[in-house]
Amino acid sequence: MRIALFVTCLADAMAPQVGKATVTLLERLGHEVAFPSAQTCCGQMHTNTGYQREAVPLVRHHVEVFEPYDVVVAPSGSCVGSVRHQHAMVARDAGDDALADRATAVATRTYELSELLVDVLGVEDVGAYFPHRVTYHPTCHSLRMLRVADKPLRLLRNVRGMTLLELPAADQCCGFGGTFALKNADTSTAMLADKMRNVLSTGAEVATAGDASCLMHIGGGLSRLQSGTRTLHLAEILAST
């Protein structure tokens, strides 16, 4: 299968290893990965902060870039959530029904990584080996918007050599929330403290998730504590052999 990688802004700028791991994993499974170099921000940041009119050109560009592909994958529940739940809405609110229809068509072919692996490719054992103690944080958008449910856990349970540890209060937000962490810093910090306490209570060496943004937030806090616990994206663990 030929799959287009929608790498996302944050992975491109802050965590390129996540995009590389996604490609490594999919190619190891026998698929061809295309990287449309014209891709830019999907407009989630603009939409979430009330700048819907400014998001329209970004939505149009995203549609134009990914329209030629039958399958699109992103290592981010947050950005896939935006494509699925915001793009058509932004276009329709701007009075562009044709763009809304095109955006809907692209959205139906766009998947978060664990969705693609389990639902589309029918794979739960990707042949990974990662001999460490790991706990999994289900990010808000993947859990509530995309409803990926236990797909990431099903993939992690098949990783050889790994001990998967249950995270207490796993469904609680880590406090990042994009611009929420900037606009509501005190609340965000308190939520992060709860999340870090729960991560550390597991004794895990690694905390993983499907969104680089949440891992950046959690990892920054754990680093400041000099806890010795690090963060890795789900794709990085699944790509490990």
Side-chain angles (χ1 to χ4, degrees):
M1 182 180 292
R2 189 166 186 256
I3 302 167
L5 173 63
F6 166 34
V7 73
T8 79
C9 296
L10 195 139
D12 181 49
M14 305 292 292
Q17 71 277 7
V18 173
K20 293 176 181 178
T22 302
V23 173
T24 297
L25 171 61
L26 293 175
E27 288 184 342
R28 192 174 74 220
L29 293 173
H31 302 283
E32 178 187 353
V33 182
F35 180 76
S37 59
Q39 63 183 283
T40 61
C41 175
C42 67
Q44 178 185 186
M45 178 176 63
H46 305 69
T47 304
N48 288 351
T49 48
Y51 292 91
Q52 282 192 220
R53 184 175 61 186
E54 289 79 3
V56 174
L58 293 166
V59 170
R60 180 176 294 107
H61 183 72
H62 183 90
V63 168
E64 290 171 351
V65 168
F66 288 101
E67 220 168 16
Y69 298 94
D70 293 331
V71 177
V72 181
V73 67
S76 167
S78 176
C79 296
V80 172
S82 179
V83 169
R84 289 229 196 116
H85 296 278
Q86 294 179 336
H87 276 196
M89 174 198 72
V90 165
R92 196 159 281 119
D93 287 352
D96 194 336
D97 290 341
L99 177 60
D101 291 343
R102 292 169 65 198
T104 298
V106 171
T108 61
R109 306 194 296 271
T110 302
Y111 300 91
E112 179 268 344
L113 180 60
S114 72
E115 288 182 315
L116 177 75
L117 292 169
V118 176
D119 292 342
V120 180
L121 304 181
V123 178
E124 293 190 16
D125 185 345
V126 298
Y129 174 75
F130 191 74
H132 299 282
R133 299 187 308 277
V134 177
T135 193
Y136 168 71
H137 164 63
T139 64
C140 291
H141 284 163
S142 65
L143 187 68
R144 295 174 176 86
M145 290 183 75
L146 299 182
R147 301 187 184 279
V148 302
D150 68 341
K151 294 180 184 70
L153 289 170
R154 284 154 65 183
L155 291 160
L156 289 169
R157 289 182 188 124
N158 282 295
V159 175
R160 291 161 182 77
M162 194 180 79
T163 302
L164 185 60
L165 303 163
E166 184 176 355
L167 179 65
D171 62 343
Q172 291 183 7
C173 178
C174 71
F176 179 64
T179 56
F180 173 84
L182 302 176
K183 294 179 178 179
N184 304 277
D186 291 343
T187 304
S188 173
T189 301
M191 295 169 74
L192 174 61
D194 289 342
K195 182 59 65 176
M196 290 192 298
R197 181 168 57 251
N198 288 327
V199 167
L200 294 175
S201 74
T202 67
E205 299 168 77
V206 174
T208 191
D211 276 270
S213 53
C214 300
L215 290 172
M216 180 179 68
H217 189 58
I218 297 168
L222 293 172
S223 175
R224 288 191 293 274
L225 290 178
Q226 297 183 340
S227 65
T229 301
R230 60 193 173 113
T231 56
L232 278 178
H233 193 280
L234 174 68
E236 295 178 89
I237 291 178
L238 297 180
S240 298
T241 57

